Amino acid sequence: MTGQRSTTGNIFISYRREDSAAWAGRLCDYLNRLVGAERVFMDIEDIAPGQRFVEKIDDTIARCEIALIVIGPKWADSLRQRAQDTQRDFVSHEIEAVLGRQMTIVPVLVGEASIGQLTGLPESLAGLSQYEVAELRDRTFNDDCRRMAESLGLRPVAVPPEPRGQSKAKLWVTVVIGVLLAAAAWVGIARWNQKREFKATIDPIFATAKLQAERGEYESAFRTYQGLLKTDPTNRQAMELQVDAAMSWLEDFHAVDAGGVKAADVGGNKLTEIMPVLDAGLARVNAQGPRAADILAHIGWAHWLNERIAEREFGPAAEQHMRRALQVEPTNAYAHAMLGNWMMQGGASTEEALQHFRTAVEQNKARPFVRSLQLGALIYPSDRQVRVALIRAVDEMRRNGEPIEDRYRTRTLSSYDPTVNNAKELDATLTAVPPADAWATYVWLSRLSPGYDYQRAKYDFIHASVLEMERKVPEALAAFQALQGELKTRGYNGRIATYVELAIKRLSGG
């Protein structure tokens, strides 16, 4: 026999050089030996950058029937970095092109990468998470490649017989081998068809869970994945996505009385479901790396909720898991935000808690959740330090264009209210940031109704106070005097009237 060649279609291998070049090269070598180098496309070289490169990618993919997306341990980080740097990401383009065609697609995990690499993908790439993954491990690389090739129906077949000179014995051997290979091929096709049919069964379940998660129905998504795992208990992708749903559920966790069952018991029962899923997810990543830190932080939060809502435990478990998360990943945004909130609620060191919040915000990860924990801990300021931290956080949100929930907006706005705050409290609020920012943030928080009412009087008071802070004495004096006239006309009195009177005396030298 002169050699072997595959009867299947062409294969396209997508990979990131900085993440998985070595593994992709080994995979390419294996497939070259199996099906022939002319059918395997990995590196597209010697072409100019720009549109010609994109056209070459699209043309190559159009000639392939199988796409192998090689995913290493830094794949998702590289994807996010390219997005932040606004660089043209040709790997993302390859995957988008593959998802837009009728192809067999296999995400291939290498270098001990976990299925978590496929979570939180941009919308244009999100479809990749719905495909069954293969894993190539270093110790069993060739065996894993063989199993993947068999599942894809990739098989070598004998080339035409040698010239007439071969013996009858060799001919019979060739015939027998051909029959055996044909039988093996038939079995492989049957197994592949079974896999395709099974995939067609579970794909709609994946789609349902994904839709539920996108709508914020994390508890429902958690249970949908739970049902899928009863059908396919070894589905690694479903396991990891259920962990993601569990963590998101904890970030928006609440419990109310239901069917005669107290809220504490309702919450406790739910947390009893969540914790084993997180523990299993932690074990699968060997308690190492950023995903392990995320899971550890959420386990700590679950213990805290089990104390605060379910009233079922009292001990150090919450803090221990959060701090362990920081040992695994010192900059983990979840752990810092959760620990800061836990410390503020428990009356621990305010300075340390505020530092945890600052570090969490700096990571620019899970920003809405981080802000909810930060503002939730600060909106009832107990001292000047906390009040200043609150105003600075809200001012930063305004400058960054971050949205603020109404419950936090209205509560923060009360820190500017001259009818409920004493002079020192107002001073802390207004001097937390420079005067121009103080006024811009107050306006951003305020939502005035048409006409003149008590809210408008407070608005005018803050405006006059900011003018005074800017040392614009004539303008500030005029603003306070105009406000005093309005207050008298409308019969408004109390603390605000006293503040206005003191300001006029102070500014007029009286």
Side-chain angles (χ1 to χ4, degrees):
M1 297 172 61
T2 60
Q4 293 182 325
R5 201 166 34 183
S6 170
T7 59
T8 60
N10 295 336
I11 304 167
F12 181 78
I13 300 176
S14 171
Y15 73 103
R16 289 192 182 279
R17 292 182 185 275
E18 67 271 23
D19 172 59
S20 55
W23 292 287
R26 292 174 65 187
L27 174 61
C28 183
D29 290 343
Y30 180 91
L31 294 174
N32 285 345
R33 293 192 299 270
L34 181 68
V35 303
E38 74 278 4
R39 295 187 182 276
V40 182
F41 297 85
M42 186 174 80
D43 284 309
I44 304 172
E45 301 174 341
D46 300 326
I47 54 177
Q51 185 60 33
R52 287 183 58 197
F53 192 84
V54 172
E55 290 173 354
K56 185 64 176 177
I57 291 174
D58 294 341
D59 178 65
T60 301
I61 291 174
R63 292 185 285 121
C64 296
E65 295 178 13
I66 297 173
L68 305 179
I69 313 301
V70 182
I71 297 171
K74 299 179 180 179
W75 187 84
D77 289 340
S78 297
L79 178 69
R80 285 191 289 269
Q81 185 61 50
R82 293 295 180 91
Q84 290 177 0
D85 295 344
T86 65
Q87 299 179 30
R88 185 63 178 273
D89 187 0
F90 292 111
V91 172
S92 293
H93 180 84
E94 290 172 358
I95 298 172
E96 290 170 4
V98 163
L99 292 173
R101 296 180 57 80
Q102 294 296 319
M103 301 178 67
T104 298
I105 302 172
V106 182
V108 182
L109 302 178
V110 298
E112 298 185 357
S114 73
I115 194 68
Q117 295 286 322
L118 294 176
T119 61
L121 295 177
E123 184 176 352
S124 61
L125 307 181
L128 187 62
S129 64
Q130 298 182 20
Y131 289 88
E132 184 175 356
V133 303
E135 185 175 5
L136 306 182
R137 294 155 294 191
D138 288 336
R139 288 178 299 175
T140 56
F141 193 88
N142 287 337
D143 288 340
D144 293 339
C145 285
R146 177 182 54 77
R147 281 190 288 269
M148 181 178 70
E150 289 176 352
S151 71
L152 291 170
L154 299 175
R155 60 195 182 281
V157 298
V159 297
E162 293 180 356
R164 302 178 192 172
Q166 71 178 15
S167 66
K168 290 184 179 180
K170 279 183 80 175
L171 179 61
W172 276 107
V173 169
T174 302
V175 170
V176 170
I177 291 175
V179 171
L180 291 175
L181 287 173
W186 183 85
V187 172
I189 292 172
R191 288 177 178 172
W192 177 242
N193 285 337
Q194 289 177 348
K195 282 196 169 186
R196 289 178 67 89
E197 290 173 3
F198 187 68
K199 185 173 183 296
T201 300
I202 65 174
D203 276 358
I205 305 177
F206 271 115
T208 298
K210 179 184 176 185
L211 184 61
Q212 290 169 332
E214 289 174 348
R215 290 198 300 246
E217 300 168 2
Y218 303 116
E219 181 177 355
S220 297
F222 177 93
R223 300 193 190 289
T224 299
Y225 287 124
Q226 195 171 48
L228 190 154
L229 287 166
K230 291 179 180 178
T231 302
D232 187 8
T234 61
N235 192 307
R236 183 70 174 266
Q237 183 179 6
M239 293 177 191
E240 298 305 328
L241 289 173
Q242 189 185 31
V243 170
D244 290 344
M247 290 193 290
S248 296
W249 184 7
L250 285 172
E251 292 167 24
D252 188 34
F253 193 85
H254 54 274
V256 296
D257 292 353
V261 181
K262 294 181 179 179
D265 293 329
V266 172
N269 292 337
K270 291 179 178 181
L271 291 167
T272 299
E273 291 183 77
I274 291 173
M275 287 187 183
V277 171
L278 295 181
D279 288 337
L282 183 64
R284 283 194 296 273
V285 294
N286 297 319
Q288 297 178 355
R291 183 163 177 80
D294 287 350
I295 295 173
L296 278 165
H298 284 80
I299 292 175
W301 193 247
H303 280 289
W304 175 234
L305 293 173
N306 210 28
E307 177 180 335
R308 294 287 290 184
I309 294 179
E311 301 175 357
R312 291 190 176 186
E313 67 174 275
F314 299 93
E319 182 183 11
Q320 286 176 346
H321 282 87
M322 294 174 196
R323 293 197 183 277
R324 186 179 166 200
L326 293 180
Q327 291 175 352
V328 174
E329 186 188 26
T331 59
N332 187 270
Y334 289 112
H336 278 293
M338 290 171 176
L339 193 55
N341 186 281
W342 174 85
M343 295 181 75
M344 292 291 290
Q345 292 193 57
S349 169
T350 298
E351 182 54 45
E352 183 182 347
L354 296 180
Q355 182 57 54
H356 282 302
F357 286 132
R358 285 192 290 269
T359 304
V361 171
E362 288 170 0
Q363 307 316 306
N364 197 28
K365 177 182 177 181
R367 182 62 70 84
F369 177 65
V370 168
R371 287 298 193 192
S372 70
L373 292 188
Q374 181 186 32
L375 297 185
L378 301 178
I379 54 173
Y380 297 99
S382 56
D383 56 34
R384 183 185 183 91
Q385 185 181 25
V386 176
R387 183 178 292 265
V388 168
L390 169 64
I391 301 305
R392 288 178 178 173
V394 173
D395 177 66
E396 185 179 53
M397 293 175 68
R398 188 262 310 170
R399 288 185 282 108
N400 290 343
E402 299 176 54
I404 184 169
E405 295 181 38
D406 272 349
R407 55 177 173 159
Y408 298 134
R409 181 188 66 81
T410 55
R411 184 59 205 171
T412 304
L413 196 59
S414 68
S415 293
Y416 292 83
D417 192 338
T419 66
V420 298
N421 292 280
N422 61 41
K424 288 184 178 180
E425 290 167 340
L426 284 172
D427 179 71
T429 298
L430 293 174
T431 60
V433 295
D437 287 326
W439 175 243
T441 298
Y442 177 74
V443 171
W444 181 64
L445 292 168
S446 301
R447 293 179 183 175
L448 294 177
S449 302
Y452 200 100
D453 58 12
Y454 213 39
Q455 288 301 114
R456 182 71 196 199
K458 298 174 186 177
Y459 185 94
D460 289 344
F461 175 83
I462 297 299
H463 182 230
S465 298
V466 171
L467 289 173
E468 183 179 3
M469 288 166 53
E470 293 177 319
R471 301 185 185 281
K472 297 178 179 178
V473 175
E475 294 90 336
L477 178 59
F480 277 121
Q481 288 172 335
L483 176 56
Q484 187 178 57
E486 286 287 351
L487 293 176
K488 289 180 179 179
T489 299
R490 300 176 185 281
Y492 296 158
N493 50 35
R495 183 175 287 181
I496 187 172
T498 301
Y499 286 153
V500 169
E501 183 178 354
L502 291 172
I504 291 173
K505 289 181 179 180
R506 184 170 60 249
L507 292 169
S508 61

